[in-house]
């Protein structure tokens, strides 16, 4: 995917990680809560926090498709 994006879109892609398959994801969805909120120590929760930390540490701003404002800024931290 990275090669295709770079070749056809002239956009470099860097993997920030992946979310493992986790039974807590479907359970959190049934509870209508985020997996991080419902099961903070689940593997998926840990992975989401690690990716969020990488976004912040690399000063990557993620913009919403509905707004030109960043939804994650370099000053944001999850503790």
């Amino acid at each position: 995917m990275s090669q295709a994006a770079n070749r056809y879109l002239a956009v470099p892609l860097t993997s920030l990680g992946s979310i493992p398959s986790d039974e807590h994801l479907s359970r959190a969805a049934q509870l209508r809560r985020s997996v991080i909120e419902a099961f903070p120590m689940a593997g998926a929760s840990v992975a989401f926090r690690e990716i969020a930390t990488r976004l912040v540490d690399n000063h990557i701003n993620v913009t919403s498709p509905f707004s030109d404002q960043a939804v994650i800024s370099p000053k944001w931290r999850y503790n």
Side-chain angles (χ1 to χ4, degrees), residues 7-59:
R7 180 175 178 181
Y8 296 108
L9 303 173
V11 176
L13 294 182
T14 302
S15 175
L16 295 173
S18 61
I19 308 302
S21 179
D22 188 332
E23 64 187 43
H24 293 96
L25 289 166
S26 60
R27 181 69 183 125
Q30 290 172 347
L31 296 171
R32 298 181 188 263
R33 297 170 64 192
S34 73
V35 69
I36 293 173
E37 179 186 9
F39 305 103
M41 299 309 294
S45 297
V46 172
F48 275 117
R49 285 193 300 274
E50 288 174 353
I51 290 171
T53 298
R54 287 185 195 110
L55 284 168
V56 173
D57 290 347
N58 290 307
H59 300 281

